[in-house]
Amino acid sequence: MQQTPHSILKEYFGYDSFREGQETLIRQILSGGDVLGIMPTGAGKSICYQVPAMLMPGLTIVVSPLISLMQDQVAALRDAGIPAVCLHSNQDQASYFAALDAVRSGGVRLLYAAPERLLTESFLSLTDTVAITMVAVDEAHCLSQWGQDFRPSYLRITEFLAELPRRPVVAAFTATATQTVRDDIRRLLDLHDPTELVTGFDRRNLRWIVERPAKKYDALLQILRRNKNKSGIIYCISRRLTDEVCSKLCADGFPAVRYHAGLSAEERTANQEAFLRDEVQIITATNAFGMGIDKSNVSFVVHYNMPKSMEAYYQEAGRAGRDGMPAECTLLYSPQDIRTNTFLIEQSDLENDRLTPEQRNLLRQRDFDRLHTMVQYCSSTDCLRHFILRYFGENAPTHCGNCGSCLAETETLDATVPAQKILSCVFRVAQRGRHCGSRMLCDILQGKETKSLKEAGYQTLSTYGLLGDVSRLQLEHMVNILISRGYLRMDTSQYATLTLSAKANAVLRGQEQVMMSLPVRDLKQTRREQRLANMPDYGVDEGLFQKLRRVRERLAAKEFVPAYIVFSDATLRDMCNKRPSDEEEMLAISGVGKYKMDKYGEAFLEAIAEYGSQPQEDTGTAM
Ligand code: ADP
Ligand code: ZN
């Protein structure tokens, strides 16, 4: 039978249809054209080069920045019956040469390589004997100095391409959508008239939440309670905090492991493995964790601190819900985070000495602008999904129904007068040649008598106590709204102080009305909790699901692979719903290909049959 992209997708990956964008890119590659695929994390970039690699003669080289990423992908491909190998610096000589031999013998379809490897002699000699039909560049934004993880070694890809006897198809993929990065990728890889495809950035199953708690750790415990027995990542801004949160959680009965660059390689690997294999549900980590971790059943990602940019945030938080199940992404924000990030930007040496001082300044300014966007995000009380998608250049409705703002009980009212009072208070403070942050601003407007307020002499301002009748929560929201809509600017280069923007004038002069949707007064915390805890449920039989998970664990241990490589949670759920009873029905499950059917199918069919013959309990999982 003639193989087609669809038959490969079904036979090896077990999926019935392509997702948005995949087929277009695959067809283009097969017709010999370069491509640039821009898709958010979890959209399914790998399929775009893995499927054509199976259909084209010759070898596909995949360049990938991280060893763990390569190893994972290669393990997953092999488990699906696709011959793939990897070459990287952490390999012992024997397995390195074994991999080279396998490639030479012609049996390998995909070769994963670290960019440093490409120009080595042994690697180049390969290209004399084996025809290379495609070079796929994963995480292609690493090429660009303007991207968030520039890797100079990526520039070697271009040199490597020039060394080849025939130029292969070049396919580049990234989740970073900004125009500068795209231009850089196209130029630096010298893509030939590439088909550029940007798929929707929306991840509908992700619930976006920002909390501004007085006590972050308590807020974290709340999140963990509403995500009991689920797998999650907690990102912290520093190694110290990563350790601290991890030990506190362990002491409080939430077993967790940690991950950051300060740990020994052994501990890092052991902790990562424990998390990937579902032996422990929670991992606290710095941003060193996660690139290339495609564990599909991560149900929540908490940011204990505000990240430095929307790009970084979307990538890290996007590690939740890859299996398409409902998942929660919560950012715990405090103004202190601005100071920490500012400090980090100022300290960053911009690792590249090829930059001129002007370029350095420009980069730093860009970092501050990105940080400012994050402050606006954290201050926003409008639809968070809308905010994110607009940032990535997409039109989106202003109400999504699945974010912290849309789920909050709010009332929309004309807040022009309090807005004027807030803005004029900022103005009065500035008249005295000073600036204050949002906490002090609220204290002044509420007529508080704190020590620092009196020391600064603010009790004599004409705006002192002007909003004493508004609740603190309401007032903080109003200030946040004014920040996120750009009437107030929060200074990222100093101490999170507020200044008026030009836009504020129209409001102060009474030429512009300000509507705000504000949290309903005195809303009980418990009611809010209930709303957030209320996740859509796919209503599978929990008993069967747990049974299948145990089968999966057993098989994974036997094969020495992470559980999700055997089958994803989404695949197990599909089995729970359809309850296949023979091979043919099993092959109709999403994620079950021929090879995996032969390897694992029987064990799952048995478990399902066994479960079906037991007396059923009503587990009561309703939609
Ligand atoms: P990315 O590299 O874009 O972050 P991956 O390639 O890791 O995403 O894919 C994310 C998940 O989606 C994987 O579990 C993958 O198997 C699954 N997936 C990809 N394409 C499809 C498809 N057409 N149908 C169903 N699942 C898919
Ligand atoms: Zn929303």
Side-chain angles (χ1 to χ4, degrees), residues 287-327:
N287 60 8
F289 178 76
M291 195 185 333
I293 303 293
D294 53 5
K295 179 176 163 72
S296 63
N297 65 340
V298 175
S299 295
F300 64 96
V301 172
V302 177
H303 278 75
Y304 205 73
N305 309 93
M306 178 178 71
K308 63 178 179 185
S309 68
M310 200 39 122
E311 285 84 356
Y313 183 57
Y314 205 62
Q315 190 166 53
E316 287 160 14
R319 293 185 178 122
R322 285 198 174 207
D323 53 7
M325 304 302 289

Side-chain angles (χ1 to χ4, degrees), residues 7-26:
S7 70
I8 299 279
L9 184 72
K10 181 68 187 160
E11 181 172 343
Y12 291 94
F13 298 94
Y15 299 133
D16 287 326
S17 52
F18 284 108
R19 289 196 186 147
E20 189 193 345
Q22 288 178 329
E23 204 174 355
T24 315
L25 292 175
I26 290 169

Side-chain angles (χ1 to χ4, degrees), residues 383-385 399-403 406:
C383 178
L384 295 172
R385 189 180 311 276
H399 183 97
C400 75
N402 191 26
C403 75
C406 290

Side-chain angles (χ1 to χ4, degrees), residues 572-583:
L572 297 193
R573 287 207 161 81
D574 204 29
M575 287 185 200
C576 291
N577 285 332
K578 297 192 183 133
R579 307 230 177 166
S581 61
D582 58 25
E583 185 174 327

